Amino acid sequence: MHLHLVSFNVPYPPDYGGIIDVFYKIKALHDAGVKIHLHCFNYGRGKASEISQYCVSVNYYQRKLQFYKQISLIPFIVYTRNSRELIENLNRDDYPIIFEGLHCTYPLYINKFDDRKIVIRTHNIEHDYYKGLAKSEKNLLKKIYFRFEAFKLKHYEPILRKATTIAAISPNDKDYFKTINPQTSLVLPFHPFSAASSKIGCGSYILIHGDLSVPENIQSVIWLLENIIPECPYPFKIAGKEPSKQIYRSAYGLKNVEIIPNPNDSKITDLIENAQINIVHSLYPQGFKLKLLHVLYKGRHCICNKDVVQNTGLEPVCYIANTNQEFISAIKHLMLVDLTNEMVDMRVSMLSRFSNQNQIGKLLELIS
């Protein structure tokens, strides 16, 4: 089987949520014998020879980031990925097409692709995501941009009806997108993990990690720094990409906090494996937090709020805390609790439905 896959960014290195899903999906499709024609928009990551081994062909298109595209009623994340060359390449055959996210659907906006299998992989309810960014953003101009983009994304969503099917990344997203396109199925996120390998016993610190340059994560970490960490007399490590000045300011004076900027993949995994507790916190519901899988496959105890874990099926292997007092109580309790073999066995059972093999089977059913 041949198929086209259109990615919103160059899917290598797989170093953040959506791109992790794209890269490991490509790898799983290749391993299943699918011949992939990859099309990706490039805006800073550059060409990646590493992905050629999984694809029959790789085409790069420059994302057009001109300011005037913000004036259009087409969402900026869509309009800046408009490429006549891409449309011509897709029309050279009748292979099925996977569009990664609403971002890549401009070809559907101007082209019907009659009698083609079209799958749109949704990573978020995008207008909700941008509303959340607007709430978290302190810069007034950026706040206005996020609100306007949320408005445009909501009104652009009917484009999803042009898809043969939508592959939603989480149960909550599936329920939402089914109201727009009844042909919506759940395909859980693709990821680099094969088996749970959490270390038995006890660690000595608590870890918070993520991309610390994006508004939602910044505000989440600041909330923890202001409301939770001062009440807990344990070492905290905050690790991630490009920590903002706001995070450093909020951590100032807290002697039990260490900030680790820009750790590589092996360092992050080492931090996760050796922590006693990993905290995964979000200020609002969105798609699926891939770092939740990372900490459950590799870490000891995981504390998260309901917006992170609700309806994922992973509730039994997480400690759910929503209020300040619930977080503080869970931390104080779990710092004294060893991770046991029985706990890891339960994770193995819960995580089995998240295997890439299961997801690729579902995806191929949608395509074939």
Side-chain angles (χ1 to χ4, degrees):
M1 176 195 295
H2 288 257
L3 71 78
H4 294 280
L5 190 147
V6 185
S7 176
F8 52 88
N9 204 344
V10 178
Y12 195 90
D15 55 2
Y16 70 92
I19 281 301
I20 292 171
D21 177 67
V22 175
F23 176 78
Y24 287 99
K25 186 187 300 119
I26 290 169
K27 191 172 183 301
L29 286 165
H30 171 266
D31 292 346
V34 177
K35 300 184 188 315
I36 304 160
H37 301 267
L38 176 64
H39 307 267
C40 42
F41 286 91
N42 183 13
Y43 53 107
R45 287 165 74 88
K47 295 183 178 181
S49 59
E50 292 85 353
I51 54 178
S52 298
Q53 62 186 304
Y54 304 114
C55 304
V56 173
S57 64
V58 181
N59 290 281
Y60 296 89
Y61 311 90
Q62 196 64 34
R63 188 178 172 197
K64 303 165 185 174
L65 292 166
Q66 294 94 333
F67 177 79
Y68 74 85
K69 292 182 182 289
Q70 295 190 27
I71 311 302
S72 170
L73 286 175
I74 302 170
F76 186 72
I77 63 170
V78 177
Y79 200 17
T80 53
R81 292 178 173 88
N82 119 45
S83 169
R84 185 170 300 278
E85 183 187 358
L86 168 61
I87 293 169
E88 289 172 355
N89 286 336
L90 294 175
N91 277 320
R92 284 179 179 155
D93 52 60
D94 60 357
Y95 303 148
I97 306 170
I98 299 175
F99 290 106
E100 291 289 341
L102 216 55
H103 313 55
C104 297
T105 57
Y106 190 85
L108 286 179
Y109 182 72
I110 61 170
N111 193 313
K112 290 184 180 179
F113 291 105
D114 290 332
D115 303 320
R116 295 282 286 275
K117 282 285 179 75
I118 303 291
V119 177
I120 300 176
R121 169 45 146 196
T122 55
H123 298 268
N124 273 311
I125 300 171
E126 294 294 344
H127 67 272
D128 279 349
Y129 176 67
Y130 274 81
K131 280 180 188 175
L133 290 178
K135 287 178 184 176
S136 301
E137 183 56 62
K138 299 300 182 186
N139 180 288
L140 180 60
L141 287 176
K142 289 183 180 178
K143 187 182 284 286
I144 292 169
Y145 162 70
F146 288 140
R147 283 180 177 168
F148 189 36
E149 190 73 353
F151 170 81
K152 292 191 289 183
L153 284 161
K154 176 65 177 172
H155 285 80
Y156 181 78
E157 268 185 348
I159 198 78
L160 296 170
R161 294 176 188 143
K162 291 189 175 185
T164 311
T165 188
I166 297 171
I169 203 168
S170 74
N172 288 343
D173 286 13
K174 184 193 80 170
D175 293 343
Y176 175 80
F177 288 119
K178 220 171 178 61
T179 65
I180 300 170
N181 186 333
Q183 300 304 314
T184 297
S185 297
L186 175 64
V187 179
L188 292 165
F190 291 84
H191 55 80
F193 315 111
S194 55
S197 57
S198 302
K199 291 184 177 180
I200 304 305
C202 210
S204 60
Y205 61 88
I206 299 149
L207 178 68
I208 303 158
H209 83 279
D211 184 342
L212 303 180
S213 67
V214 300
E216 193 268 338
N217 287 344
I218 293 168
Q219 295 306 314
S220 176
V221 170
I222 289 173
W223 183 84
L224 292 165
L225 284 165
E226 291 179 350
N227 297 283
I228 307 303
I229 294 174
E231 306 300 320
C232 298
Y234 309 106
F236 283 79
K237 296 179 189 286
I238 299 172
K241 179 182 175 184
E242 298 176 8
S244 75
K245 292 178 181 177
Q246 294 167 274
I247 289 174
Y248 281 104
R249 281 197 296 267
S250 294
Y252 183 78
L254 294 173
K255 295 182 179 179
N256 60 332
V257 174
E258 178 188 0
I259 297 176
I260 303 169
N262 303 312
N264 59 27
D265 289 347
S266 61
K267 177 65 174 176
I268 279 287
T269 297
D270 180 71
L271 288 167
I272 290 170
E273 288 177 342
N274 290 296
Q276 173 66 359
I277 299 170
N278 284 274
I279 293 178
V280 184
H281 178 260
S282 180
L283 292 171
Y284 49 87
Q286 51 164 294
F288 192 102
K289 288 276 191 186
L290 269 164
K291 61 185 172 185
L292 177 64
L293 290 183
H294 200 167
V295 304
L296 290 176
Y297 273 98
K298 298 292 183 182
R300 291 189 179 96
H301 302 298
C302 174
I303 302 176
C304 57
N305 58 322
K306 70 177 183 180
D307 285 345
V308 169
V309 75
Q310 193 172 35
N311 295 331
T312 62
L314 296 172
E315 294 90 338
V317 289
C318 298
Y319 293 82
I320 301 171
N322 295 304
T323 67
N324 298 21
Q325 195 51 54
E326 286 171 348
F327 266 97
I328 293 163
S329 297
I331 288 167
K332 290 181 177 179
H333 168 66
L334 291 174
M335 285 303 290
L336 305 174
V337 177
D338 284 7
L339 189 75
T340 65
N341 284 311
E342 291 75 18
M343 292 175 182
V344 175
D345 289 343
M346 188 175 184
R347 284 191 191 182
V348 170
S349 174
M350 294 286 103
L351 289 167
S352 61
R353 63 188 284 263
F354 285 82
S355 73
N356 288 348
Q357 289 77 15
N358 283 344
Q359 306 323 310
I360 204 64
K362 293 178 187 177
L363 186 58
L364 290 174
E365 279 182 26
L366 300 180
I367 294 166
S368 51

